[in-house]
Amino acid sequence: MALLLLAAGCAAPAESGSDVPLPDPLPRVTPASVLPFEAYTLSADERSELFAVRNALVVECAREHGVTLTLVHDDPVSLGHGLAMWAGRFGTLPLEQAREHGYHAPPEGPATQPFTVFVREDEQPRSGVITGEYDASTTRAVDAAGAPLPDGGCRGVADARLGGDPDELGSPSAEEIRLEAARDPRSVEAMDDWRRCMEERGYAFVSVDEPYDLALGNELTDEERAVAVADVQCTGSSRWRDITFAIETELQERALRREPDRYRERHEHELAMLAAARSIAPQR
């Protein structure tokens, strides 16, 4: 099974976080904690709603060109909820969640939505219907009848109906600010503490996000649960998540004060795309 991602991010330069004072006392970050930019972006549920319509439009367009695509969330047999990851904020995995489900989503709980469309292996020669180009090349794709596909393929057709490209959603500079917060010496020291803590428990990882790979495409194991529990404990003692979150918060607030119109106008465009998706959904 081949996965073709329909979501990505964009970033812009951000200022250094080295002059950001940490609050005293330093608050604990929880799954419910909110960053300033999140008031100017679609929620996770709204993004899922938008991408569900976008994916459905891609599949509909492909069908018109003689190619059958299958939506991930419409084919639980192929992936299964057991392969979905926990949907909470990174670095805030609750201890009980770790003990019971590791990094996997609970059977009845929210899961990350892979904004993807996949095609069966025997349909790969026609998978270019999504992008308008064959995989790993710039050769113009054709449909089942041999006719050229529209520019941008069926994804381009869907995005035109939505009034924009959902892959570009998100506050400008959010990713660069996140990286800047992670590069701060205080964050680096805290993440080094996390690595040492994990090594003491018998787990060697290079980065704080590496343990999550245990859940990617894999069924839940006792090892994953044990690693996740250690991760939660070491995250709590090292405070790396709390430190990076505090720095991100201040840098995002500065960006909003510096360019408020930039973020407001972008969010208005996102909301217009969501409204377009909602107007399309009842017609289908």
Side-chain angles (χ1 to χ4, degrees):
M1 181 194 317
L3 295 182
L4 295 115
L5 297 182
L6 297 187
C10 57
E15 61 182 271
S16 170
S18 59
D19 65 338
V20 173
L22 294 178
D24 185 17
L26 183 65
R28 291 279 182 181
V29 182
T30 72
S33 298
V34 178
L35 286 165
F37 278 174
E38 290 170 20
Y40 294 83
T41 58
L42 299 182
S43 68
D45 288 343
E46 289 171 332
R47 283 176 60 85
S48 294
E49 183 180 359
L50 175 58
F51 273 93
V53 174
R54 195 259 202 120
N55 283 351
L57 290 173
V58 170
V59 171
E60 185 177 277
C61 168
R63 187 183 305 118
E64 292 172 356
H65 288 277
V67 176
T68 300
L69 302 177
T70 306
L71 287 176
V72 167
H73 64 264
D74 284 346
D75 191 17
V77 175
S78 294
L79 284 185
H81 194 81
L83 299 183
M85 292 183 66
W86 178 68
R89 184 182 298 281
F90 174 61
T92 65
L93 191 74
L95 185 57
E96 284 307 308
Q97 157 72 29
R99 286 172 174 159
E100 294 185 30
H101 307 290
Y103 300 103
H104 279 76
E108 302 302 327
T112 54
Q113 294 297 319
F115 303 132
T116 60
V117 172
F118 72 84
V119 297
R120 292 185 348 192
E121 186 173 350
D122 59 1
E123 293 174 340
Q124 284 309 296
R126 291 181 285 165
S127 63
V129 70
I130 295 178
T131 63
E133 296 176 352
Y134 288 118
D135 293 344
S137 80
T138 57
T139 304
R140 183 73 177 269
V142 297
D143 64 17
L149 289 158
D151 289 339
C154 285
R155 187 167 59 186
V157 171
D159 292 350
R161 291 192 63 184
L162 293 172
D165 182 352
D167 292 344
E168 297 179 354
L169 294 184
S171 291
S173 74
E175 179 62 11
E176 189 58 33
I177 284 177
R178 185 190 68 80
L179 294 174
E180 181 61 37
R183 288 190 292 261
D184 185 282
R186 294 163 295 184
S187 299
V188 172
E189 181 179 1
M191 286 187 275
D192 284 343
D193 289 342
W194 175 89
R195 278 188 287 271
R196 286 189 289 269
C197 177
M198 293 294 285
E199 287 175 358
E200 290 171 359
R201 288 161 171 75
Y203 307 113
F205 292 104
V206 174
S207 63
V208 293
D209 60 337
E210 190 177 351
Y212 281 74
D213 290 346
L214 294 171
L216 292 177
N218 300 313
E219 295 290 351
L220 179 62
T221 63
D222 290 340
E223 178 190 10
E224 180 188 328
R225 290 192 186 93
V227 170
V229 168
D231 183 6
V232 171
Q233 294 169 338
C234 292
T235 295
S237 63
S238 68
R239 304 297 302 273
W240 73 263
R241 174 71 281 191
D242 305 324
I243 292 170
T244 58
F245 194 89
I247 297 171
E248 277 187 89
T249 296
E250 174 59 24
L251 291 180
Q252 287 190 7
E253 287 177 347
R254 292 180 184 181
L256 289 170
R257 289 194 296 268
R258 189 169 56 247
E259 300 179 284
D261 291 345
R262 179 188 187 199
Y263 296 93
R264 183 176 60 252
E265 290 170 3
R266 188 178 181 91
H267 187 40
E268 288 173 353
H269 179 61
E270 292 183 355
L271 293 173
M273 291 172 62
L274 179 62
R278 287 172 171 168
S279 69
I280 291 170
Q283 302 171 17
R284 302 190 63 265

